[in-house]
Amino acid sequence: MNAVPATEQGRYAEVDALLFTTNDSAGGRHDELERMVRSVERAIATSGLRVVQYLLLQRHAPGQPLPDLPDYIRVTTIPDRVSLSKARNLLLSWAREDGMFERSLMVAFPDDDAWYPEGTLEAMLALFGGDASLDLAICRYSSTPSTLSALPSELRAARPASARAFVANASSNTLFMRASRAAQTGYFDESLGVGAPINGGEDLDYALRAYVAAGEKAVWFDASLVGHRDPHRWLIGHYYAGSLYALSRSAASSRAVALQAVRKVLVGIYLLLRRELAWPAFSRALRLAQAARCSQPARS
């Protein structure tokens, strides 16, 4: 499958896919990062995709050699470690300064331990290249992802995503955005995410702000087209406050999202009854959710 040059806002898109990834140099995940890089290199080699990937190496000591990376990756380093939302915002600022959003078709935020099976990037790019009104596409992820060509015919085509499907499946690894929509969405909320005051929810908050602004139009593949370690059940409670916060902030702008926020509260009660979520954590999540309804979007 060959990449087809696409038009972005009436002009030629110089870059097909603009990717943002952060890695902890002292975290021992070099092999996972290499797997990610190899998966993108395969798409470039087999389909001729034009990719630019911004990579932030955290806890990278001054003078420490950089890993051997292909030319399509633009690397920057910091000596300390910051929250995931802060790290992504540093990369977004760098890309803005380079004028990359105006030159690109699609944006994605793969983790350093994620990877793309054959055909995934090509399929997502085909969606945006073929429908100028489409801004958002999602899929599932799994530690044993599928290649698109190996799926049953009924799963090979994208279909409209309901609010519930979007909320359940939109994550940093499974969200694909038109570059112009990503530019309009702005930055991640630095109060959310791993290493931030409110644990988790930064990717859902970002996705929902884009979803509401796009008129709640998104498509999805009901299949695992991105590789990533499988989620553990305990993560639902661990990131509960951040997810409820994200839902509550967008609920005022969307009835469909508001219904998902109510559903999230019911999930919290269920977790509480099963003792998978402690009362202090649930109570705090409710207080944060109430505050979120009055909060302002992240800076743009």
Side-chain angles (χ1 to χ4, degrees):
M1 178 178 179
N2 294 321
V4 179
T7 298
E8 175 71 4
Q9 295 182 340
R11 61 184 293 186
Y12 185 75
E14 300 173 27
V15 175
D16 294 310
L18 179 60
L19 309 179
F20 297 96
T21 302
T22 182
N23 172 263
D24 182 359
S25 285
R29 281 169 42 167
H30 176 75
D31 290 345
E32 288 85 350
L33 177 61
E34 185 177 350
R35 179 178 58 187
M36 153 58 63
V37 171
R38 286 199 306 268
S39 73
V40 177
E41 281 189 304
R42 181 176 58 244
I44 293 172
T46 60
S47 301
L49 300 189
R50 299 156 299 180
V51 178
V52 173
Q53 185 166 17
Y54 284 81
L55 173 64
L56 174 65
L57 298 178
Q58 302 186 56
R59 293 203 293 173
H60 195 88
Q64 180 180 349
L66 293 174
D68 186 19
L69 296 167
D71 292 340
Y72 74 86
I73 298 180
R74 302 183 184 184
V75 183
T76 189
T77 66
I78 56 175
D80 52 353
R81 186 172 184 176
V82 297
S83 70
L84 190 52
S85 49
K86 175 66 174 179
R88 288 181 179 143
N89 284 348
L90 290 172
L91 294 173
L92 288 171
S93 293
W94 185 13
R96 282 180 181 269
E97 292 171 2
D98 290 346
M100 289 304 302
F101 289 97
E102 296 83 1
R103 297 159 51 194
S104 304
L105 174 60
M106 185 182 78
V107 167
F109 300 92
D111 289 342
D112 58 350
D113 59 344
W115 72 96
Y116 296 122
E118 181 181 352
T120 294
L121 287 176
E122 294 91 331
M124 297 300 179
L125 283 162
L127 292 176
F128 295 115
D131 183 354
S133 68
L134 179 66
D135 285 348
L136 301 168
I138 59 172
C139 63
R140 299 186 188 275
Y141 71 83
S142 169
S143 61
T144 54
S146 302
T147 58
L148 199 63
S149 60
L151 291 173
S153 57
E154 64 270 18
L155 297 181
R156 293 180 193 171
R159 58 188 183 184
S162 66
R164 181 169 180 175
F166 189 85
V167 168
N169 295 282
S171 70
S172 57
N173 293 305
T174 60
L175 176 67
F176 299 85
M177 307 176 67
R178 188 175 295 275
S180 57
R181 175 57 63 192
Q184 293 165 18
T185 302
Y187 292 86
F188 287 82
D189 186 338
E190 293 181 12
S191 70
L192 299 171
V194 177
I198 305 174
N199 204 17
E202 84 290 345
D203 47 359
L204 180 59
D205 174 71
Y206 187 86
L208 284 174
R209 286 189 279 123
Y211 178 68
V212 171
E216 303 176 22
K217 179 182 178 182
V219 298
W220 82 307
F221 290 93
D222 188 7
S224 299
L225 298 183
V226 172
H228 189 264
R229 67 182 183 278
D230 295 318
H232 297 291
R233 182 177 173 82
W234 66 268
L235 290 175
I236 298 175
H238 189 63
Y239 296 135
Y240 181 81
S243 298
L244 183 59
Y245 184 98
L247 285 161
S248 298
R249 178 150 67 180
S250 290
S253 303
S254 166
R255 182 176 179 272
V257 176
L259 290 174
Q260 295 308 307
V262 171
R263 182 176 181 275
K264 191 70 175 181
V265 172
L266 296 177
V267 169
I269 294 173
Y270 173 77
L271 294 174
L272 190 67
L273 293 174
R274 289 181 57 87
R275 298 185 179 181
E276 295 179 21
L277 184 66
W279 169 253
F282 181 61
S283 177
R284 176 175 180 264
L286 293 179
R287 293 195 302 272
L288 289 170
Q290 181 61 35
R293 296 180 65 87
C294 303
S295 68
Q296 297 297 315
R299 60 190 176 92
S300 59

